Amino acid sequence: MSERPDRRPRPVPPSAGKRAGWRRPASPPATPPAGSPAAPQPAPPAATPPNHRSVIDSAVYRDGRRVASPATLADTFRKLREEPDGMAWIGLHRPTEPELHSLAAEFNLHELAVEDALEAHQRPKLERYGDTLFVVLRAARYLDAQEEVEFGELHIFVGPDFLITVRHGGAPDLSTVRHRMEQTPELLSLGPEAALYAILDAVVDGYVPVVEGVQTDIDEIETEVFRGDPAVSRRIYELSREMVEFQRATRPLVGMLHGLMAGFAKYGTDEELQRYLRDVADHVTHTSERVDGFRQALTEILTVNATLVSQQQNAEMRALAEAGFEQNEEIKKISSWAAILFAPTLVGTIYGMNFEAMPELRWVFGYPFAVALMAVVCLSLYLIFKRRDWL
């Protein structure tokens, strides 16, 4: 993690090319005079795909100042060969496979790093392949309209005299970084690692509005929780998922920056860049702590929301139970009075049947007996129901 590109200029063995382990093709020699044997020509640069829309900006710098803005990758390669002390900064957005392979052939990029840059969906990391540093960053931006966090991916190749950025997604806006660095040529003259630290700073600064937006969302969620909004659970879950992604973007970056800081003495990093990187490390550490706090807060809010929902459900169940109990009491009363009224109806119905052979039909005490029987049955039922608290 502490590996980082060597400071420019660096001593090169006489037998070595401009980069250790490879040699940039020499500039074409002058045209031989007529009649002389044709001199051998160097191999042409790798062919560049005809569609260059993925090349956002390509420039060659000398002493921190832009000296060329080539229109194609091939022109960039050729111009860099003409500038022994120059530096190329190439910005790409979702490049094609042939474009990355042409860059790999020109700058001796490792095939594993190229494969990662093509496939994307990588976690933040820092790896060294020879004298080339490969950095993966996860940028983020807050979308106010959707109230959600959008993540982008940035792959950076840093060599002794080149810096290549491969961007997947909308963030960050590297044109602003490039413009700011061009306004401070004394800083850009420190080499590709200065541009790398500027990009790191831009990515970390891009986390600030995201943190503010998430803080606002959490405040709104707390209000919705205690207001009993039924849709708040889904919003908590979605924001928690975004904070997991945010943690995956910030946590590895803390270790990466501290690893770079550990290599200050080994690689003789310029003091200005040391201060620059320490500031970036402080900011990303603070952001990482805030994100950790957001995750914990969302977990607690989700627990509180679950408790409130459970309490609300218990209250509703209690209300339903009370309503059912009241209905049962009413049904008891209705049933009791129905039974009481049914008894005299039964007696009266029996004594109302006019059959010739019916007993007690001509009995003098038949009517008083029937009325007394009705009264006794009704009173007995009333006392029974009363004792059972049905009435």
Side-chain angles (χ1 to χ4, degrees), residues 303-319:
T303 302
V304 171
N305 182 64
T307 302
L308 293 177
V309 170
S310 178
Q311 290 178 350
Q312 182 179 1
Q313 291 176 345
N314 291 339
E316 292 175 354
M317 293 296 295
R318 190 182 304 110

Side-chain angles (χ1 to χ4, degrees), residues 33 42 63 103 145 149 155 192 204 215 221 255 270 272 280 301 317 344:
D63 297 329
L103 289 167
V149 182
H155 300 244
V204 174
Q215 182 64 67
I221 285 174
D270 184 87
E272 182 67 18
V280 176
I301 291 173
M317 293 296 295

Side-chain angles (χ1 to χ4, degrees), residues 142-286:
Y142 185 79
L143 304 178
D144 291 321
Q146 295 85 358
E147 292 187 339
E148 62 183 24
V149 182
E150 181 186 64
F151 295 93
E153 193 167 329
L154 182 63
H155 300 244
I156 308 172
F157 297 90
V158 184
D161 61 353
F162 68 88
L163 183 137
I164 303 169
T165 60
V166 180
R167 183 160 54 92
H168 297 270
D173 183 7
L174 296 182
S175 61
T176 304
V177 179
R178 187 189 292 262
H179 178 72
R180 186 171 68 249
M181 291 297 291
E182 290 178 346
Q183 297 302 312
T184 55
E186 64 280 359
L187 184 59
L188 186 56
S189 64
L190 296 177
E193 60 183 5
L196 170 63
Y197 296 157
I199 294 173
L200 288 169
D201 185 56
V203 170
V204 174
D205 285 347
Y207 295 153
V208 175
V210 178
V211 170
E212 294 175 353
V214 171
Q215 182 64 67
T216 301
D217 286 346
I218 291 178
D219 293 340
E220 294 175 354
I221 285 174
E222 289 177 343
T223 302
E224 293 172 359
V225 165
F226 290 100
R227 194 168 53 198
D229 190 336
V232 70
S233 296
R234 180 182 182 87
R235 189 176 181 188
I236 295 174
Y237 176 75
E238 291 175 349
L239 189 57
S240 297
R241 290 284 302 274
E242 292 175 354
M243 290 305 97
V244 171
E245 290 295 323
F246 209 177
Q247 276 188 325
R248 291 175 180 172
T250 56
R251 275 188 176 179
L253 191 54
V254 175
M256 290 165 54
L257 292 174
H258 282 85
L260 288 173
M261 291 167 59
F264 282 165
K266 179 179 179 180
Y267 295 99
T269 305
D270 184 87
E271 292 184 1
E272 182 67 18
L273 292 183
Q274 292 185 27
R275 288 191 289 267
Y276 200 180
L277 187 59
R278 287 193 188 96
D279 181 66
V280 176
D282 290 341
H283 289 172
V284 75
T285 300
H286 176 71

Side-chain angles (χ1 to χ4, degrees), residues 342-353 358 370-371 373-374:
F342 175 74
T345 301
L346 178 63
V347 175
T349 301
I350 293 174
Y351 277 89
M353 293 187 295
M358 186 174 177
V371 173
L373 181 61
M374 295 178 189

